[in-house]
Amino acid sequence: MKINLLDLNFQELQEFVAEAGLPKFRAKQINEWLVKGVADFDEMTNLPGALREKLKEVAVTGLPAVINCLRSKIDDTAKFLFRLHDGCIIESVLMKYKYGYSVCISSQAGCRMGCKFCASSDIPFSRSLTSGEILGQIIAINRHENIRIGHVVIMGIGEPLDNYDNIVKFLKTVISEESLGIGARKISLSTCGLVPGMLKLAEEDLAITLSVSLHNPFDEERSEIMPVNRKYSLDNLFEACKIYIEKTGRRITFEYAMIVGVSDTEKHALELCRRLKGLLCHVNLIPVNAVEGKSYSRSSKKSIENFSAILEKKGISVTVRRELGRDINAACGQLRKQLIEEGNS
Ligand code: SAH
């Protein structure tokens, strides 16, 4: 088994270099190439030829290979399809905002959570991604586009807290100066509500933003659309949120999909307000995206406005998510399905 260099943090890379009997500065040189997204050892021109040959024998860079890039014709969104070393296929989405580039990355090849409205739930789960494969998505896009991504959201395929150790290693690495040096405050991690992972994350001392996919304030109804709620009820979830906020001092963003009749009535808005009362939080309303074969339809503009007004009146900070990349199926929950078909063809 060859070692995947992107899976190593800088300290581990230094150890790898020391164990190979090489001078310390080689770690710095190799790291600079890795961060630039150079996958081929022969392009690492400041390394002696013999060292490049040796590296080829024992290691791979572990950078995901871009196999397709779909660009939206209506906005500056691009969807990247990657192949990993074992043939697994994953996706990331690059978005351009006024403040710069943001990328939505995947944490697993597939997802085990089974949310009813999400396209990832129908596709078999392959495996969790390593920290290097998570980081590699950002590095590969930076190189492909010749840009510097400044913001990261872990909202692509997979449940990040179902891949806890790799996601935390990724976070600590991507923040570090030796790697991409992306500020923790510019990173959001979204979870469907895996309570033990949330409590552990609260102890990591990372100033990232935690997003919680809530989607419904009633236990019975949430359990219908999100099986995770059968394991961790809303009481458990909100208790964990409270602890997270107390420990980190940071507000939580609640993602709330607006689905006609399922989550968008006044009754839902009022119960949501009751649940969120006194909590340091923000609500992001997402008009649900249609997924082939699923019967959920998005709420009208009017009912989203009404819902939002109820929250605002109770003093809850709320925004409505703008949809990007509509023509390339780049929106929440739409990744993966089409990709498998493409990947198999
Ligand atoms: N597993 C994590 C992160 C991936 S999903 C989580 O559940 O948070 C990213 C976000 O997209 C989540 O809020 C998810 O609930 C939402 N989502 C999934 N399918 C969607 C759809 N069809 N329309 C709108 N949002 C969707």
Side-chain angles (χ1 to χ4, degrees):
M1 259 302 260
K2 289 188 180 180
I3 191 153
N4 183 337
L5 295 180
L6 267 185
D7 280 342
L8 307 180
N9 60 31
F10 189 59
Q11 195 190 334
E12 290 165 337
L13 184 64
Q14 284 179 316
E15 284 160 14
F16 167 80
V17 160
E19 275 162 29
L22 299 165
K24 224 175 159 180
F25 70 91
R26 295 289 179 214
K28 195 162 172 274
Q29 289 178 321
I30 297 170
N31 185 58
E32 278 168 8
W33 291 113
L34 292 174
V35 171
K36 271 194 205 154
V38 170
D40 182 350
F41 290 117
D42 282 330
E43 281 181 48
M44 303 186 179
T45 45
N46 58 0
L47 304 182
L51 172 53
R52 286 187 239 154
E53 291 311 313
K54 191 169 170 188
L55 284 173
K56 281 185 218 169
E57 276 167 32
V58 298
V60 291
T61 53
L63 204 70
V66 177
I67 53 170
N68 201 359
C69 168
L70 294 167
R71 281 178 210 280
S72 168
K73 291 193 177 66
I74 39 186
D75 52 55
D76 278 321
T77 302
K79 186 159 75 167
F80 287 83
L81 211 63
F82 292 104
R83 183 177 288 119
L84 306 178
H85 70 90
D86 61 351
C88 274
I89 292 173
I90 53 162
E91 282 191 356
S92 324
V93 177
L94 176 69
M95 293 155 287
K96 197 174 173 188
Y97 291 100
K98 275 191 222 102
Y99 55 76
Y101 287 100
S102 176
V103 69
C104 174
I105 56 173
S106 295
S107 55
Q108 298 179 308
C111 187
R112 290 194 266 232
M113 299 299 116
C115 298
K116 291 274 164 51
F117 47 84
C118 179
S120 299
S121 61
D122 298 343
I123 309 289
F125 175 83
S126 300
R127 65 174 174 87
S128 284
L129 303 188
T130 67
S131 61
E133 288 167 336
I134 303 169
L135 178 67
Q137 296 167 59
I138 312 171
I139 292 179
I141 296 177
N142 270 345
R143 182 167 176 84
H144 193 271
E145 303 292 294
N146 196 20
I147 55 169
R148 248 188 106 120
I149 290 165
H151 292 75
V152 177
V153 296
I154 309 167
M155 292 192 187
I157 298 158
E159 167 50 47
L161 298 185
D162 184 36
N163 185 17
Y164 189 87
D165 292 342
N166 289 324
I167 217 66
V168 169
K169 183 169 186 187
F170 155 73
L171 289 168
K172 290 183 176 167
T173 306
V174 74
I175 289 166
S176 72
E177 274 314 310
E178 294 87 2
S179 182
L180 296 178
I182 297 179
R185 286 183 163 70
K186 296 178 175 165
I187 303 176
S188 293
L189 180 151
S190 181
T191 179
C192 62
L194 290 184
V195 165
M198 290 167 65
L199 295 174
K200 237 169 123 184
L201 192 64
E203 305 286 344
E204 301 281 356
D205 199 20
L206 291 165
I208 59 163
T209 298
L210 180 66
S211 290
V212 173
S213 300
L214 189 59
H215 304 326
N216 204 297
F218 297 107
D219 266 317
E220 248 175 56
E221 295 182 15
R222 189 167 188 266
S223 296
E224 262 317 294
I225 54 169
M226 299 180 70
V228 68
N229 198 69
R230 299 207 177 102
K231 195 153 184 197
Y232 306 109
S233 69
L234 286 166
D235 281 348
N236 296 155
L237 179 61
F238 281 106
E239 185 55 31
C241 290
K242 239 164 115 184
I243 296 172
Y244 186 91
I245 294 165
E246 272 163 24
K247 285 251 157 76
T248 63
R250 302 194 48 83
R251 77 174 189 181
I252 288 181
T253 297
F254 290 100
E255 306 292 335
Y256 193 96
M258 295 293 285
I259 314 176
V260 174
V262 174
S263 66
D264 68 346
T265 68
E266 187 183 341
K267 181 188 84 170
H268 290 97
L270 292 171
E271 178 64 6
L272 183 58
C273 292
R274 192 188 70 79
R275 286 273 181 195
L276 299 184
K277 199 167 171 221
L279 217 57
L280 184 63
C281 70
H282 175 81
V283 175
N284 199 9
L285 299 177
I286 317 170
V288 78
N289 295 299
V291 173
E292 218 183 285
K294 314 218 174 216
S295 58
Y296 299 105
S297 28
R298 64 168 52 185
S299 311
S300 66
K301 220 172 154 205
K302 185 85 202 129
S303 51
I304 296 177
E305 275 167 16
N306 289 345
F307 199 95
S308 166
I310 296 174
L311 267 58
E312 266 172 6
K313 223 167 121 190
K314 300 266 181 187
I316 295 168
S317 142
V318 55
T319 45
V320 179
R321 182 178 292 171
R322 195 159 61 98
E323 186 183 24
L324 292 174
R326 181 193 277 263
D327 55 334
I328 53 168
N329 274 348
C332 301
Q334 293 183 331
L335 301 186
R336 180 92 174 160
K337 221 179 173 162
Q338 186 190 352
L339 136 186
I340 290 295
E341 286 150 24
E342 284 167 12
N344 286 341
S345 63

